[in-house]
Amino acid sequence: MSEHVIELQDVRRFYVVGDFVVKALDGVSLKIPKGAFTAIMGPSGSGKSTMMNLIGCLDTATSGYIFIDGVMTNDLDEAELAFIRNQKIGFVFQ
Ligand SMILES: Nc1ncnc2c1ncn2[C@@H]1O[C@H](COP(=O)(O)OP(=O)(O)OP(=O)(O)O)[C@@H](O)[C@H]1O
Ligand SMILES: [Mg+2]
């Protein structure tokens, strides 16, 4: 498969709250190689949980592309997303 276990390409996640648009992620790109130990750090509200929810296939990006183990997740159906959540991603919540 891919040399990168996680890859984000220009990912945006906007939340519409009434008349406002909250740009939680506004064009994030990253590549995490297989076997890497990576920490995502940033101040409260900088979008860490938003990004983790996208990587974990628990949420859908407003735009951009997300690859998990070389598979683009954008167009997957619920059963395919469930397979990734079950087999590829483990979460320990804070
Ligand atoms: N469901 C939502 N609806 C509207 N705005 C949201 C929603 N979830 C997050 N946000 C906003 O998106 C931005 C990023 O939030 P997020 O929770 O991803 O940050 P975080 O880095 O995980 O913060 P923390 O360190 O406090 O956990 C914040 O401005 C937050 O208020
Ligand atoms: Mg958080």
Side-chain angles (χ1 to χ4, degrees), residues 48-50 94:
K48 305 179 298 291
S49 292
T50 298
Q94 70 194 37

Side-chain angles (χ1 to χ4, degrees), residues 26-70:
D26 194 8
V28 173
S29 299
L30 62 82
K31 293 177 178 178
I32 298 181
K34 284 197 169 160
F37 184 97
T38 302
I40 308 294
M41 297 164 54
S44 181
S46 61
K48 305 179 298 291
S49 292
T50 298
M51 189 173 82
M52 293 305 292
N53 287 336
L54 294 171
I55 290 170
C57 297
L58 299 170
D59 189 20
T60 305
T62 304
S63 67
Y65 299 98
I66 299 171
F67 298 82
I68 304 296
D69 210 9

